[in-house]
Amino acid sequence: DQEESGAVNPGKDRGMSARAASHAGSWYSANKTELDRQLSKWLQDVTPSSHLLPSRAVIAPHAGYSYSGPTAAHAYRHLDPTRINRIFILGPSHHYHLTGCAISGHASCETPLGDLSVDRSANQELMSTGMFEVMSERVDSEEHSIEMHLPYIYKVMEGAPHPYTIVPVMVGNLSPEKERQYGALLSKYMEDAGTFFVVSSDFCHWGNRFSFTHYDPAHGEIFQSIENLDKAGMEIIESQSPEAFLSYQQQYHNTICGRHPIAVLLNILKEGPQQNSRFNLRFVKYAQSSPCRTQQDSSVSYASAILSDKTLT
C-alpha cells in the first residue's frame, strides 16, 4: 500500500556494494526521464520561503509519490546544494523490530536517476559508539522510509559543486531516554554547517485498517478533526520541545510513523548551543491522501517542515 507503510518484495540482491532501488516501479517511477520530469514539476510548483533559508534539516513524507510527492517538494525546494556535503536520513522502521538505530551496510544507494554514495567514515564513527547495528540486506531492502527520499535528494543535489555523501539511519522504537541519547550523539553533526538532516515521517494514519479512529466532532467532519489533531502536533514540533511532543503522543496516540526520528531531531536541537534562539522550525505544507467523512474511510496525512539556522547567512 503506497499510501502508507506496507510489506513489499525485496529488490534483487546485488550484493553489499549497492542498495537496489527496491520500490522503484511500484511506489515511484523506475523510468529516469519520467521520474526526473515529475520531481522537476513538483519542485518548480513551490516558491521557497526566503525567511527559512538557509535550511539545515527538513521533515518530509515517505509515501508513494502519487500521494506525497507534491508535499515532499515543499521540503526539498528549500535545500541549497552549494552548502551541503553530507545528508543524514533518519527514517522509521516499519517492518523490523528495532529498539536502537541501524545504519546501511551498503557503499551506495541506487536510484533511477543515479547512485548516491554512503558516507563510510560517518558510519564507522557511529558504529564505534556501540549504539548502532547494521541493517541486513533484507531489512534495508524492505524498508521504504529512507528510500523514498533518495530520488529527491539526487534531484536537488544535482547543482552541488562538490561531492557529497548520505548517511541512512533506521530509527527504531526508541524510549524517550534513547531518543535523548541519540539526539546527544548526533548533535555534533548538526554543528557542521555542511551537514543536513532529512527526517522521514508521514502524519496521522486514520481508519479501521490503522486501528486509529479518533474523532472530535467539535472540529467538524472527520478529515477536519484529523487536521486539527495533526496541526496540534505540528505546532508542538515547531516549539522544538521533545518533552511537549512526548506528552502530545501520550495524550492522543496520533499515528505519526516517524515520531521517533522527529523526537531524535528535537533532541539534537535541544543538545546544541543556543538552542532556543538559533533554529527556526516551521511547517510549510500539509495534505491528506483523501478526506475522511465516514468511519469506513481511511487516510494518511503528509506534512513538510523546514529547519533554518539563524546564525547562517
Side-chain angles (χ1 to χ4, degrees):
D1 192 332
Q2 300 177 36
E3 183 187 16
E4 52 89 42
S5 53
V8 296
N9 292 324
K12 182 180 179 182
D13 183 3
R14 303 188 185 185
M16 294 304 287
S17 58
R19 181 196 182 279
S22 54
H23 294 72
S26 54
W27 289 50
Y28 59 96
S29 176
N31 181 281
K32 179 178 182 179
T33 303
E34 180 183 11
L35 180 59
D36 185 80
R37 184 169 60 244
Q38 287 175 340
L39 296 178
S40 295
K41 181 186 185 305
W42 291 330
L43 289 164
Q44 288 166 5
D45 287 346
V46 177
T47 301
S49 302
S50 58
H51 68 285
L52 295 177
L53 299 172
S55 61
R56 294 296 314 282
V58 294
I59 300 171
H62 54 236
Y65 279 3
S66 63
Y67 293 99
S68 69
T71 298
H74 284 262
Y76 281 101
R77 188 69 173 84
H78 290 81
L79 268 69
D80 181 352
T82 66
R83 291 177 174 266
I84 299 169
N85 53 45
R86 177 172 56 190
I87 301 173
F88 278 76
I89 310 157
L90 309 182
S93 174
H94 287 93
H95 314 298
Y96 177 60
H97 179 66
L98 182 66
T99 57
C101 290
I103 60 172
S104 177
H106 293 289
S108 63
C109 294
E110 297 177 352
T111 83
L113 304 179
D115 295 357
L116 297 166
S117 297
V118 174
D119 193 315
R120 292 187 175 186
S121 175
N123 274 358
Q124 289 172 355
E125 283 187 6
L126 297 179
M127 288 300 293
S128 71
T129 66
M131 293 179 63
F132 291 80
E133 61 182 81
V134 179
M135 286 180 263
S136 71
E137 177 85 16
R138 179 179 176 182
V139 165
D140 201 342
S141 178
E142 290 184 349
E143 181 55 59
H144 65 277
S145 72
I146 294 170
E147 179 184 338
M148 297 307 294
H149 291 278
L150 302 181
Y152 255 119
I153 290 172
Y154 189 95
K155 179 60 183 173
V156 297
M157 290 298 290
E158 281 180 334
H162 47 253
Y164 66 95
T165 56
I166 62 170
V167 187
V169 178
M170 178 184 281
V171 179
N173 184 22
L174 306 181
S175 65
E177 175 58 22
K178 281 193 174 180
E179 290 170 347
R180 188 197 67 76
Q181 290 174 355
Y182 282 105
L185 188 153
L186 294 171
S187 64
K188 75 168 189 175
Y189 298 102
M190 186 64 82
E191 294 308 304
D192 172 17
T195 295
F196 195 90
F197 282 82
V198 170
V199 176
S200 177
S201 184
D202 297 335
F203 274 71
C204 184
H205 297 60
W206 195 94
N208 291 319
R209 67 192 182 107
F210 302 121
S211 302
F212 186 79
T213 53
H214 169 88
Y215 174 41
D216 184 350
H219 297 291
E221 294 195 63
I222 293 173
F223 71 91
Q224 294 169 312
S225 171
I226 295 169
E227 180 172 354
N228 181 77
L229 179 64
D230 278 331
K231 289 193 171 178
M234 291 157 61
E235 188 173 321
I236 287 170
I237 292 167
E238 288 180 336
S239 77
Q240 303 177 40
S241 168
E243 295 82 10
F245 185 50
L246 177 62
S247 296
Y248 164 83
Q249 294 173 73
Q250 291 172 335
Q251 181 176 356
Y252 296 107
H253 304 283
N254 193 3
T255 44
I256 302 172
C257 55
R259 58 192 176 275
H260 296 295
I262 291 171
V264 170
L265 174 67
L266 297 181
N267 278 284
I268 289 173
L269 303 181
K270 184 179 179 181
E271 290 294 325
Q274 306 172 295
Q275 184 271 332
N276 290 329
S277 60
R278 177 178 175 184
F279 292 108
N280 184 24
L281 181 57
R282 290 291 175 265
F283 280 89
V284 294
K285 181 64 177 177
Y286 176 80
Q288 294 174 358
S289 59
S290 59
C292 290
R293 301 180 189 277
T294 75
Q295 290 289 334
Q296 285 68 50
D297 293 337
S298 67
S299 73
V300 179
S301 306
Y302 314 117
S304 285
I306 314 299
L307 179 80
S308 58
D309 187 340
K310 301 173 189 175
T311 66
L312 298 177
T313 56

